[in-house]
mmCIF file of all heavy atoms in Angstrom:
data_model
loop_
_atom_site.group_PDB
_atom_site.id
_atom_site.type_symbol
_atom_site.label_atom_id
_atom_site.label_comp_id
_atom_site.label_asym_id
_atom_site.label_seq_id
_atom_site.Cartn_x
_atom_site.Cartn_y
_atom_site.Cartn_z
ATOM 1 N N LYS A 1 -65.252 158.150 186.801
ATOM 2 C CA LYS A 1 -64.545 159.321 187.313
ATOM 3 C C LYS A 1 -63.644 159.924 186.249
ATOM 4 O O LYS A 1 -63.618 161.149 186.046
ATOM 5 C CB LYS A 1 -63.721 158.928 188.543
ATOM 6 C CG LYS A 1 -62.991 160.076 189.204
ATOM 7 C CD LYS A 1 -62.205 159.578 190.412
ATOM 8 C CE LYS A 1 -61.435 160.728 191.059
ATOM 9 N NZ LYS A 1 -60.648 160.265 192.236
ATOM 10 N N GLN A 2 -62.909 159.084 185.528
ATOM 11 C CA GLN A 2 -62.029 159.576 184.469
ATOM 12 C C GLN A 2 -62.822 160.216 183.342
ATOM 13 O O GLN A 2 -62.422 161.248 182.789
ATOM 14 C CB GLN A 2 -61.171 158.430 183.934
ATOM 15 C CG GLN A 2 -60.135 157.920 184.932
ATOM 16 C CD GLN A 2 -59.341 156.748 184.391
ATOM 17 O OE1 GLN A 2 -59.538 156.330 183.256
ATOM 18 N NE2 GLN A 2 -58.457 156.200 185.213
ATOM 19 N N ALA A 3 -63.963 159.604 182.985
ATOM 20 C CA ALA A 3 -64.792 160.168 181.913
ATOM 21 C C ALA A 3 -65.307 161.555 182.288
ATOM 22 O O ALA A 3 -65.302 162.477 181.456
ATOM 23 C CB ALA A 3 -65.955 159.231 181.621
ATOM 24 N N LYS A 4 -65.719 161.731 183.547
ATOM 25 C CA LYS A 4 -66.205 163.038 183.988
ATOM 26 C C LYS A 4 -65.091 164.076 183.980
ATOM 27 O O LYS A 4 -65.303 165.238 183.610
ATOM 28 C CB LYS A 4 -66.809 162.923 185.389
ATOM 29 C CG LYS A 4 -68.159 162.221 185.414
ATOM 30 C CD LYS A 4 -68.740 162.205 186.817
ATOM 31 C CE LYS A 4 -70.104 161.526 186.839
ATOM 32 N NZ LYS A 4 -70.684 161.502 188.201
ATOM 33 N N GLU A 5 -63.879 163.669 184.401
ATOM 34 C CA GLU A 5 -62.742 164.604 184.375
ATOM 35 C C GLU A 5 -62.405 165.025 182.956
ATOM 36 O O GLU A 5 -62.094 166.195 182.698
ATOM 37 C CB GLU A 5 -61.539 163.946 185.051
ATOM 38 C CG GLU A 5 -61.680 163.792 186.559
ATOM 39 C CD GLU A 5 -60.509 163.071 187.181
ATOM 40 O OE1 GLU A 5 -59.659 162.573 186.412
ATOM 41 O OE2 GLU A 5 -60.433 163.006 188.426
ATOM 42 N N GLU A 6 -62.466 164.084 182.012
ATOM 43 C CA GLU A 6 -62.192 164.421 180.613
ATOM 44 C C GLU A 6 -63.252 165.360 180.056
ATOM 45 O O GLU A 6 -62.933 166.310 179.319
ATOM 46 C CB GLU A 6 -62.125 163.138 179.783
ATOM 47 C CG GLU A 6 -60.898 162.278 180.087
ATOM 48 C CD GLU A 6 -60.942 160.955 179.363
ATOM 49 O OE1 GLU A 6 -61.934 160.719 178.638
ATOM 50 O OE2 GLU A 6 -59.981 160.161 179.513
ATOM 51 N N GLU A 7 -64.524 165.125 180.385
ATOM 52 C CA GLU A 7 -65.591 166.013 179.934
ATOM 53 C C GLU A 7 -65.414 167.417 180.499
ATOM 54 O O GLU A 7 -65.615 168.411 179.806
ATOM 55 C CB GLU A 7 -66.951 165.438 180.360
ATOM 56 C CG GLU A 7 -67.370 164.192 179.591
ATOM 57 C CD GLU A 7 -68.699 163.659 180.078
ATOM 58 O OE1 GLU A 7 -69.313 164.330 180.937
ATOM 59 O OE2 GLU A 7 -69.119 162.595 179.604
ATOM 60 N N LYS A 8 -65.035 167.481 181.778
ATOM 61 C CA LYS A 8 -64.829 168.785 182.413
ATOM 62 C C LYS A 8 -63.681 169.533 181.763
ATOM 63 O O LYS A 8 -63.774 170.739 181.480
ATOM 64 C CB LYS A 8 -64.558 168.581 183.908
ATOM 65 C CG LYS A 8 -64.427 169.874 184.687
ATOM 66 C CD LYS A 8 -64.204 169.587 186.166
ATOM 67 C CE LYS A 8 -64.052 170.888 186.959
ATOM 68 N NZ LYS A 8 -63.811 170.621 188.396
ATOM 69 N N ALA A 9 -62.582 168.825 181.492
ATOM 70 C CA ALA A 9 -61.434 169.463 180.844
ATOM 71 C C ALA A 9 -61.788 169.937 179.445
ATOM 72 O O ALA A 9 -61.386 171.034 179.017
ATOM 73 C CB ALA A 9 -60.265 168.474 180.794
ATOM 74 N N ALA A 10 -62.550 169.132 178.694
ATOM 75 C CA ALA A 10 -62.952 169.515 177.341
ATOM 76 C C ALA A 10 -63.858 170.738 177.373
ATOM 77 O O ALA A 10 -63.744 171.645 176.536
ATOM 78 C CB ALA A 10 -63.653 168.352 176.658
ATOM 79 N N ALA A 11 -64.767 170.795 178.355
ATOM 80 C CA ALA A 11 -65.669 171.944 178.474
ATOM 81 C C ALA A 11 -64.892 173.217 178.812
ATOM 82 O O ALA A 11 -65.171 174.295 178.266
ATOM 83 C CB ALA A 11 -66.721 171.667 179.545
ATOM 84 N N GLU A 12 -63.898 173.091 179.712
ATOM 85 C CA GLU A 12 -63.089 174.259 180.056
ATOM 86 C C GLU A 12 -62.279 174.741 178.864
ATOM 87 O O GLU A 12 -62.130 175.942 178.638
ATOM 88 C CB GLU A 12 -62.168 173.906 181.223
ATOM 89 C CG GLU A 12 -62.899 173.702 182.539
ATOM 90 C CD GLU A 12 -61.967 173.262 183.647
ATOM 91 O OE1 GLU A 12 -60.784 172.982 183.339
ATOM 92 O OE2 GLU A 12 -62.406 173.192 184.812
ATOM 93 N N THR A 13 -61.751 173.817 178.069
ATOM 94 C CA THR A 13 -60.984 174.187 176.870
ATOM 95 C C THR A 13 -61.863 174.892 175.855
ATOM 96 O O THR A 13 -61.480 175.907 175.256
ATOM 97 C CB THR A 13 -60.356 172.925 176.237
ATOM 98 O OG1 THR A 13 -59.558 172.272 177.217
ATOM 99 C CG2 THR A 13 -59.507 173.297 175.052
ATOM 100 N N ALA A 14 -63.079 174.370 175.646
ATOM 101 C CA ALA A 14 -64.003 174.985 174.697
ATOM 102 C C ALA A 14 -64.412 176.380 175.157
ATOM 103 O O ALA A 14 -64.502 177.315 174.354
ATOM 104 C CB ALA A 14 -65.233 174.096 174.529
ATOM 105 N N ALA A 15 -64.643 176.530 176.460
ATOM 106 C CA ALA A 15 -65.033 177.841 176.982
ATOM 107 C C ALA A 15 -63.907 178.846 176.831
ATOM 108 O O ALA A 15 -64.133 180.025 176.500
ATOM 109 C CB ALA A 15 -65.433 177.710 178.446
ATOM 110 N N ALA A 16 -62.658 178.408 177.038
ATOM 111 C CA ALA A 16 -61.520 179.307 176.887
ATOM 112 C C ALA A 16 -61.332 179.722 175.431
ATOM 113 O O ALA A 16 -60.947 180.860 175.132
ATOM 114 C CB ALA A 16 -60.249 178.619 177.393
ATOM 115 N N ALA A 17 -61.622 178.808 174.487
ATOM 116 C CA ALA A 17 -61.464 179.139 173.063
ATOM 117 C C ALA A 17 -62.519 180.126 172.594
ATOM 118 O O ALA A 17 -62.269 180.957 171.717
ATOM 119 C CB ALA A 17 -61.536 177.857 172.238
ATOM 120 N N GLU A 18 -63.722 180.067 173.159
ATOM 121 C CA GLU A 18 -64.798 180.971 172.746
ATOM 122 C C GLU A 18 -64.650 182.362 173.338
ATOM 123 O O GLU A 18 -65.164 183.331 172.787
ATOM 124 C CB GLU A 18 -66.142 180.377 173.169
ATOM 125 C CG GLU A 18 -66.503 179.109 172.409
ATOM 126 C CD GLU A 18 -67.777 178.482 172.926
ATOM 127 O OE1 GLU A 18 -68.356 179.072 173.871
ATOM 128 O OE2 GLU A 18 -68.186 177.444 172.404
ATOM 129 N N THR A 19 -63.942 182.511 174.437
ATOM 130 C CA THR A 19 -63.804 183.813 175.097
ATOM 131 C C THR A 19 -62.778 184.669 174.361
ATOM 132 O O THR A 19 -61.628 184.269 174.189
ATOM 133 C CB THR A 19 -63.351 183.629 176.554
ATOM 134 O OG1 THR A 19 -64.264 182.760 177.225
ATOM 135 C CG2 THR A 19 -63.294 184.968 177.274
ATOM 136 N N PRO A 20 -63.133 185.879 173.848
ATOM 137 C CA PRO A 20 -62.162 186.732 173.145
ATOM 138 C C PRO A 20 -61.130 187.287 174.114
ATOM 139 O O PRO A 20 -61.412 187.521 175.283
ATOM 140 C CB PRO A 20 -63.037 187.852 172.568
ATOM 141 C CG PRO A 20 -64.245 187.892 173.447
ATOM 142 C CD PRO A 20 -64.478 186.489 173.897
ATOM 143 N N MET A 21 -59.950 187.481 173.597
ATOM 144 C CA MET A 21 -58.871 188.032 174.432
ATOM 145 C C MET A 21 -58.980 189.551 174.426
ATOM 146 O O MET A 21 -58.712 190.215 173.419
ATOM 147 C CB MET A 21 -57.505 187.594 173.900
ATOM 148 C CG MET A 21 -57.319 186.084 173.945
ATOM 149 S SD MET A 21 -55.708 185.571 173.334
ATOM 150 C CE MET A 21 -54.658 186.299 174.589
ATOM 151 N N GLU A 22 -59.395 190.122 175.538
ATOM 152 C CA GLU A 22 -59.644 191.565 175.624
ATOM 153 C C GLU A 22 -58.363 192.382 175.542
ATOM 154 O O GLU A 22 -58.352 193.499 175.066
ATOM 155 C CB GLU A 22 -60.371 191.878 176.929
ATOM 156 C CG GLU A 22 -61.739 191.203 177.006
ATOM 157 C CD GLU A 22 -62.429 191.509 178.302
ATOM 158 O OE1 GLU A 22 -61.803 192.207 179.132
ATOM 159 O OE2 GLU A 22 -63.570 191.073 178.483
ATOM 160 N N ALA A 23 -57.251 191.804 175.986
ATOM 161 C CA ALA A 23 -56.006 192.580 176.025
ATOM 162 C C ALA A 23 -55.512 192.926 174.627
ATOM 163 O O ALA A 23 -54.892 193.965 174.409
ATOM 164 C CB ALA A 23 -54.937 191.796 176.769
ATOM 165 N N ASP A 24 -55.756 192.083 173.623
ATOM 166 C CA ASP A 24 -55.253 192.309 172.274
ATOM 167 C C ASP A 24 -56.231 193.067 171.392
ATOM 168 O O ASP A 24 -55.940 193.355 170.237
ATOM 169 C CB ASP A 24 -54.939 190.962 171.602
ATOM 170 C CG ASP A 24 -53.839 190.232 172.334
ATOM 171 O OD1 ASP A 24 -53.050 190.907 173.024
ATOM 172 O OD2 ASP A 24 -53.775 188.991 172.227
ATOM 173 N N ALA A 25 -57.410 193.371 171.884
ATOM 174 C CA ALA A 25 -58.414 194.058 171.074
ATOM 175 C C ALA A 25 -57.996 195.516 170.884
ATOM 176 O O ALA A 25 -57.632 196.203 171.840
ATOM 177 C CB ALA A 25 -59.777 193.977 171.752
ATOM 178 N N PRO A 26 -58.025 196.025 169.609
ATOM 179 C CA PRO A 26 -57.637 197.421 169.365
ATOM 180 C C PRO A 26 -58.659 198.377 169.960
ATOM 181 O O PRO A 26 -59.858 198.106 169.946
ATOM 182 C CB PRO A 26 -57.608 197.510 167.850
ATOM 183 C CG PRO A 26 -58.534 196.429 167.390
ATOM 184 C CD PRO A 26 -58.422 195.333 168.374
#
């Protein structure tokens, strides 16, 4: 259970890092 939670958190972090921030785009 802990391993799955860590994998899920890592996947969410990676997805957030790949998504560009639209608000700061000129």
